[in-house]
């Protein structure tokens, strides 16, 4: 098949990007398919724009995968400039799709949200050219906007976005949810009479185990904070409102007062709350250290040196449909136990006993959980590690690519009838 993947934020791995579609492309190509990724020239969360002139697009081979960067506006943060980018980009994308269609028609288009406008335009283009379209939902928009930003679902803009979302689901040939509760979400919205549940597939995020092991061996990570006998708790990811890391800092305050064993919490990442949280930690002389972001290739080596990996998120109503955190699968590949502050439905940590996922009602409870892991008998600690090693292969992108291939083929064959 000739597959077009459309994702506003499909940033190549070498730029620290969102790697799901890179890995799917990598393994689909190994299966003999042709894959092209269409994405924004403005690289999210960076100052990079791949197109400096008035060109509509720029083609590049990045990390062995063909990317077509479509010109889009610069922006910083989540203000009005980003909103303009989100509205403007789909129109530029449509022009690019029309241009490449004249060269070679795709067999299937695979469009990934959360950008509803991109998914909407992809489905429109598919209907126009009679090309099957698979729509993937990685984040429930606008549901997550309502959940995290406390906007009313009756807001006229939100109301419009819900109608757009429903239209996309109705007209997509196949639907993929990264969260396991996607079908339940459709039913809860009352859309199941219009949206066939039979065309919905759950494909979780994952990890490329082969690449993980290669990077662990070839890109050693050095940080003096990882040395010594302290019990090392590692968090890798964004430091933003949704990550709620103030709870980790508050747990650090409790540990300073009551812990007999040195527990060192290391945060690797960046975001809007990093500086404020770092000041609190420094002012209180806590064992919580903000080490800044690191390149993706060093993450395997970093996690190998951790004793416990940490997932910390803010509670929201959408969690009842499950979560698919990218970091969870890299944590699993490291073979180390995981502590999560938020149990969710369809929780892999609890399902497979990979660690502890529990809601903490106080900083004291959070600190107690950290102390519990630090004091675990070796046999119990190794049990968690073995559980992780036994299931991580299910989330290897080499295996997940087989599932997405079947979904793409199903959409293609259905249109051929």
């Amino acid at each position: 098949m000739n597959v077009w993947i459309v994702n506003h934020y499909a940033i190549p791995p070498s730029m620290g990007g969102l790697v799901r579609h890179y890995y799917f492309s990598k393994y689909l190509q190994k299966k003999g398919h042709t894959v092209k990724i269409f994405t924004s020239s403005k690289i999210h969360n960076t100052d990079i724009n791949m197109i400096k002139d008035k060109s509509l697009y720029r083609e590049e081979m990045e990390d062995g995968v063909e990317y077509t960067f479509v010109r889009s506006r610069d922006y910083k943060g989540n203000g009005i400039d980003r909103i303009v980018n989100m509205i403007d980009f789909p129109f530029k994308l449509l022009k690019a799709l029309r241009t490449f269609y004249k060269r070679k028609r795709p067999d299937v288009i695979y469009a990934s949200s959360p950008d509803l406008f991109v998914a909407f335009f992809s489905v429109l283009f598919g209907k126009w050219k009679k090309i099957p379209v698979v729509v993937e939902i990685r984040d429930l928009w606008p549901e997550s906007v309502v959940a995290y930003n406390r906007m009313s679902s009756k807001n006229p803009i939100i109301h419009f976005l819900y109608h757009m979302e429903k239209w996309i689901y109705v007209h997509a040939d196949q639907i993929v949810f990264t969260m396991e509760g996607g079908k339940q979400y459709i039913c809860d919205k009352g859309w199941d009479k219009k949206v066939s549940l039979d065309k919905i597939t759950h494909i979780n995020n994952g990890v490329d185990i082969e690449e993980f092991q290669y990077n662990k061996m070839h890109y050693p990570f050095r940080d003096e904070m990882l040395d010594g006998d302290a019990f090392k708790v590692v968090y890798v990811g964004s430091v933003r409102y949704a990550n709620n890391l103030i709870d980790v800092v508050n747990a650090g305050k409790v540990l300073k007062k009551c812990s007999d064993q040195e527990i060192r919490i290391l945060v690797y990442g960046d975001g809007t709350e990093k500086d404020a949280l770092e000041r609190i930690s420094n002012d209180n002389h806590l064992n919580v250290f903000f080490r800044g972001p690191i390149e993706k290739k060093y993450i395997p080596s970093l996690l190998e040196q951790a004793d416990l990996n940490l997932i910390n998120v803010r509670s929201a109503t959408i969690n009842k449909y499950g979560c698919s955190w990218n970091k969870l699968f890299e944590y699993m590949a490291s073979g180390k136990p995981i502590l999560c502050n938020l149990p969710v439905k369809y929780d892999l940590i609890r399902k497979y006993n990979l660690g502890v996922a529990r809601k903490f009602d106080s900083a004291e409870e959070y600190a107690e959980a950290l102390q519990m892991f630090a004091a675990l008998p070796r046999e119990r600690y190794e049990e968690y590690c073995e559980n992780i090693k036994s299931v991580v292969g299910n989330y290897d992108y080499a295996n997940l690519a087989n599932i997405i291939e079947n979904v793409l083929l199903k959409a293609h064959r259905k249109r051929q009838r």
Side-chain angles (χ1 to χ4, degrees):
M1 289 185 298
N2 180 26
V3 181
W4 286 0
I5 298 179
V6 181
N7 177 2
H8 197 152
Y9 306 109
I11 308 166
S14 59
M15 299 181 186
L18 303 169
V19 294
R20 177 180 176 89
H21 300 109
Y22 162 75
Y23 290 125
F24 281 156
S25 299
K26 170 184 171 181
Y27 286 108
L28 286 171
Q29 287 178 160
K30 286 186 176 182
K31 291 170 172 289
H33 303 292
T34 301
V35 185
K36 177 188 285 289
I37 296 178
F38 291 86
T39 190
S40 169
S41 66
K42 173 65 176 71
I43 307 301
H44 188 52
N45 285 335
T46 74
D47 293 325
I48 300 171
N49 196 316
M50 297 294 289
I51 299 177
K52 302 295 186 183
D53 55 22
K54 297 297 183 181
S55 301
L56 175 61
Y57 62 85
R58 173 179 170 182
E59 294 181 90
E60 294 281 348
M61 287 297 293
E62 296 283 350
D63 306 304
V65 171
E66 186 177 341
Y67 283 79
T68 298
F69 297 96
V70 179
R71 178 162 54 88
S72 57
R73 293 168 177 262
D74 288 325
Y75 64 86
K76 288 188 177 181
N78 292 314
I80 187 66
D81 287 341
R82 184 178 181 192
I83 295 173
V84 173
N85 173 282
M86 292 174 68
I87 296 172
D88 176 67
F89 174 71
F91 290 94
K92 299 285 198 317
L93 172 67
L94 185 58
K95 291 182 181 179
L97 296 181
R98 291 170 63 185
T99 299
F100 282 91
Y101 177 85
K102 293 175 182 177
R103 298 183 187 177
K104 186 177 182 181
R105 173 190 173 92
D107 295 306
V108 62
I109 297 173
Y110 169 19
S112 185
S113 79
D115 190 330
L116 287 181
F117 298 105
V118 166
F120 176 78
F121 274 71
S122 297
V123 174
L124 270 183
F125 184 80
K127 288 175 71 65
W128 177 29
K129 298 295 186 182
K130 295 181 172 53
I131 303 167
V133 180
V134 174
V135 172
E136 176 180 85
I137 311 302
R138 293 180 291 111
D139 193 2
L140 293 171
W141 273 31
E143 193 78 4
S144 60
V145 178
V146 174
Y148 286 115
N149 296 329
R150 300 175 185 174
M151 293 182 69
S152 171
S153 60
K154 296 180 180 179
N155 179 293
I157 296 175
I158 297 297
H159 191 64
F160 168 76
L161 291 175
Y162 276 127
H163 278 287
M164 179 185 287
E165 179 190 21
K166 180 182 176 182
W167 186 93
I168 291 168
Y169 295 157
V170 169
H171 293 281
D173 292 272
Q174 294 288 318
I175 303 170
V176 172
F177 282 94
T178 58
M179 64 290 298
E180 194 169 347
K183 290 185 179 180
Q184 187 60 51
Y185 173 74
I186 297 294
C187 293
D188 288 350
K189 287 296 179 187
W191 296 342
D192 50 308
K193 292 181 180 179
K194 294 284 187 179
V195 181
S196 172
L197 299 183
D198 291 337
K199 68 178 183 181
I200 296 175
T201 304
H202 165 239
I203 307 179
N204 226 319
N205 282 314
V207 61
D208 188 324
I209 295 177
E210 180 182 45
E211 180 185 274
F212 188 95
Q213 296 298 333
Y214 178 89
N215 287 346
K216 184 172 70 174
M217 293 182 61
H218 291 85
Y219 297 102
F221 181 72
R222 297 285 179 258
D223 184 345
E224 67 275 10
M225 286 292 178
L226 293 166
D227 297 334
D229 297 327
F231 186 82
K232 293 170 280 294
V233 181
V234 167
Y235 170 91
V236 179
S238 296
V239 187
R240 302 179 188 279
Y241 173 82
N243 308 109
N244 201 32
L245 289 172
I246 184 62
D247 284 359
V248 177
V249 173
N250 288 335
K253 291 180 181 179
V254 176
L255 291 173
K256 181 182 178 182
K257 297 176 183 177
C258 67
S259 181
D260 294 329
Q261 182 177 354
E262 183 185 0
I263 298 175
R264 190 178 297 163
I265 302 172
L266 305 171
V267 177
Y268 294 88
D270 205 353
T272 52
E273 297 202 340
K274 174 181 174 291
D275 292 344
L277 293 175
E278 189 170 18
R279 279 194 298 271
I280 295 171
S281 183
N282 291 340
D283 291 346
N284 289 274
H285 305 288
L286 305 181
N287 250 13
V288 182
F289 303 94
F290 291 81
R291 308 301 287 168
I294 67 168
E295 287 186 60
K296 179 178 173 57
K297 66 184 180 182
Y298 293 112
I299 290 177
S301 174
L302 162 64
L303 298 180
E304 179 76 7
Q305 300 172 71
D307 297 303
L308 178 68
N309 293 316
L310 192 66
I311 292 176
N312 202 86
V313 290
R314 189 175 296 275
S315 179
T317 54
I318 58 173
N319 294 326
K320 66 182 178 180
Y321 301 115
C323 292
S324 188
W325 302 297
N326 285 303
K327 65 171 66 69
L328 171 62
F329 303 98
E330 289 185 309
Y331 287 173
M332 289 170 64
S334 76
K336 302 296 179 67
I338 302 161
L339 174 63
C340 178
N341 74 322
L342 183 68
V344 297
K345 198 170 182 182
Y346 315 105
D347 193 330
L348 298 181
I349 298 172
R350 291 185 297 168
K351 179 179 180 179
Y352 295 116
N353 194 24
L354 311 180
V356 171
R358 182 160 65 88
K359 187 178 184 299
F360 303 114
D361 294 324
S362 66
E364 286 74 19
E365 285 189 9
Y366 206 144
E368 286 173 8
L370 292 167
Q371 289 177 298
M372 181 275 290
F373 272 104
L376 271 183
R378 194 67 196 174
E379 181 179 329
R380 183 73 181 100
Y381 183 89
E382 290 296 338
E383 183 180 329
Y384 283 127
C385 298
E386 290 303 315
N387 290 342
I388 292 169
K389 292 172 185 176
S390 69
V391 301
V392 66
N394 296 337
Y395 304 97
D396 187 343
Y397 272 117
N399 294 324
L400 296 178
N402 294 327
I403 306 175
I404 194 63
E405 181 189 34
N406 287 335
V407 172
L408 297 171
L409 285 169
K410 188 185 297 184
H412 176 58
R413 289 166 180 163
K414 186 176 180 182
R415 281 293 184 97
Q416 299 305 305
R417 294 173 185 171

